[in-house]
Amino acid sequence: RNRTLVSRLRNMRMTRQKEQDALDADCEAVAKARLLLGAGKDQMEIQYHRDKQAGLEREARTRQELAKTEQARAEYGKTAARQQAMEYRRTQARKQKEAERRRAQQVDAASKYMADKAFLDKREKQRKFR
């Protein structure tokens, strides 16, 4: 009877030990999974920050390219306005020179007319006295 009791207790102990070993293995698996999940969480955070930084860099690059385009457009506008102003000044200078030339011609013509008139008047007076 003692032998059966001892064997029964031994079986119960072995069953409990197997259950405990299975629970310990499950517990280790859960701990390992938690550790891996935590590492995955850290990896996800690192990847999130990496993606966010890449997005910020992309936005900065886009802003810089847009600023360069706007600056080039402004410079082109300034250049075009400057060229237009220079062309306008040249045109005005040409017109002014042409007006001065015409005035000079009119003055020359008037001077010649006056000189010719004075010469003719002088000749007329000379004829009267002869």
Side-chain angles (χ1 to χ4, degrees):
R1 192 175 161 153
N2 281 344
R3 280 188 178 176
T4 53
L5 184 62
V6 170
S7 72
R8 197 185 306 159
L9 286 175
R10 197 177 292 155
N11 283 339
M12 287 175 70
R13 224 181 279 138
M14 285 175 66
T15 306
R16 280 190 201 144
Q17 187 63 38
K18 284 181 185 177
E19 286 177 4
Q20 187 64 38
D21 289 343
L23 288 174
D24 286 344
D26 285 346
C27 205
E28 282 181 31
V30 168
K32 189 180 273 188
R34 281 186 182 157
L35 183 66
L36 291 175
L37 285 176
K41 183 179 176 185
D42 289 344
Q43 281 300 106
M44 285 175 56
E45 278 187 34
I46 289 170
Q47 186 63 34
Y48 170 78
H49 288 294
R50 204 177 292 148
D51 291 345
K52 188 172 182 176
Q53 187 65 31
L56 292 173
E57 289 171 0
R58 188 172 41 253
E59 288 176 10
R61 190 171 37 247
T62 304
R63 274 195 313 271
Q64 287 173 350
E65 288 171 0
L66 184 63
K68 280 182 185 177
T69 305
E70 289 296 322
Q71 183 66 27
R73 193 175 294 146
E75 287 296 322
Y76 177 77
K78 284 180 187 177
T79 304
R82 196 175 300 129
Q83 287 176 346
Q84 188 177 11
M86 286 174 56
E87 185 62 33
Y88 178 74
R89 280 190 223 114
R90 281 190 215 118
T91 304
Q92 293 296 35
R94 256 187 262 126
K95 287 180 182 178
Q96 187 176 2
K97 283 182 182 179
E98 181 64 27
E100 287 174 5
R101 188 184 60 77
R102 271 189 260 122
R103 270 189 238 116
Q105 283 178 345
Q106 287 175 347
V107 168
D108 287 343
S111 295
K112 185 178 182 214
Y113 174 78
M114 294 297 284
D116 288 347
K117 177 107 169 126
F119 180 75
L120 288 175
D121 285 345
K122 190 176 178 184
R123 285 284 181 206
E124 189 66 35
K125 283 182 186 178
Q126 284 176 358
R127 241 187 272 152
K128 280 183 184 178
F129 283 116
R130 286 190 191 172

